[in-house]
Amino acid sequence: MRTAVSAVAVAGALMAVSAGPASASANYYGCPYGAVCIYNGADPNSGIESGGVYWAYGPHNLSNQFGYHYVVNNQYGGAWVELCTGYNGTGRGESIIFGSPYGNSEDLGPINSIVLGTGNTFPCTPP
């Protein structure tokens, strides 16, 4: 299992910006604060794919995802996103993206669902 980890320290007033890397409470490469986003390609400048913004905790099934796509976790409160090989948040956990904001280029070929959550219980891990 690959793990992408990032920590964000927030101090003082935060200023929101609309594009590119940003501080907490702002868009991150166009991904709204509080969401997880999947992009058209491996580069965040490829743009968020249609239907590629996820807000709710729990599993979200994916379809027709091939090759590498940039995945951004712009959630707050220590939330994570796990990439799972099975549908409905089952199967083997391939990657967990912690931190906010943080993004990583991920091979979505073997991925059939993502799970948004908090805490230390990951539905697809260990493999």
Side-chain angles (χ1 to χ4, degrees):
M1 178 183 73
R2 299 177 318 223
T3 302
V5 180
S6 175
V8 176
V10 178
L14 298 173
M15 188 178 344
V17 296
S18 62
S23 59
S25 76
N27 287 350
Y28 184 77
Y29 287 110
C31 186
Y33 182 64
V36 168
C37 299
I38 298 178
Y39 291 73
N40 289 307
D43 185 311
N45 294 315
S46 64
I48 299 169
E49 62 185 40
S50 178
V53 179
Y54 302 89
W55 296 94
Y57 291 148
H60 301 273
N61 291 331
L62 304 179
S63 60
N64 297 316
Q65 299 291 337
F66 304 101
Y68 282 83
H69 293 258
Y70 203 73
V71 179
V72 163
N73 179 6
N74 199 15
Q75 300 178 92
Y76 46 83
W80 43 261
V81 58
E82 184 174 20
L83 285 63
C84 305
T85 59
Y87 289 103
N88 300 312
T90 63
R92 190 177 69 245
E94 289 293 310
S95 183
I96 301 172
I97 301 174
F98 296 94
S100 177
Y102 188 77
N104 199 43
S105 181
E106 299 283 348
D107 181 6
L108 296 186
I111 304 303
N112 287 305
S113 64
I114 61 172
V115 180
L116 283 60
T118 61
N120 295 319
T121 303
F122 309 108
C124 302
T125 305

